[in-house]
Amino acid sequence: MSLDGESNLKDRSTLEELRDLSEEKIIELFGTVEFDSPNSNLHRWNGSVTLPREYAQESRACRLSQLLLRGCVLKNTDHCYGVVLYTGHD
């Protein structure tokens, strides 16, 4: 059972501009991530990613479909690359 009380699988995906990057390009990638402050609403999360011009011309919106919460289990995929957000006392 997941944090939201449902046991069904939820699709998660990356930003379209990053979908086909090689591992070498991902390792070299840099940018800025801005996002909502932590809150108790599991059904709303907004953020944005600003990437170098070679990947995107402007900031790209991030939604809940790009967020993996602590305790999530990946299924039907070999691997995933990510950025850790909300580090702190918990």
Side-chain angles (χ1 to χ4, degrees):
M1 179 124 354
S2 66
L3 290 173
D4 63 5
E6 297 181 10
S7 58
N8 58 331
L9 297 177
K10 293 173 180 54
D11 286 335
R12 299 291 188 235
S13 63
T14 186
L15 296 173
E16 187 67 35
E17 294 84 358
L18 304 179
R19 186 159 294 168
D20 296 322
L21 290 182
S22 66
E23 184 173 348
E24 292 79 21
K25 288 285 186 184
I26 290 172
I27 291 170
E28 296 172 1
L29 189 64
F30 66 92
T32 304
V33 181
E34 295 180 19
F35 47 91
D36 290 343
S37 297
N39 62 64
S40 60
N41 186 345
L42 295 177
H43 302 287
R44 187 184 71 80
W45 182 82
N46 293 302
S48 66
V49 174
T50 304
L51 299 170
R53 287 188 188 267
E54 64 190 274
Y55 300 106
Q57 294 297 320
E58 55 191 37
S59 293
R60 296 291 187 220
C62 296
R63 301 285 182 246
L64 196 57
S65 64
Q66 281 107 21
L67 180 67
L68 294 174
L69 297 173
R70 180 178 62 182
C72 287
V73 177
L74 292 176
K75 294 185 177 184
N76 303 327
T77 190
D78 294 329
H79 62 277
C80 135
Y81 296 96
V83 175
V84 177
L85 308 173
Y86 302 126
T87 62
H89 301 293
D90 291 343

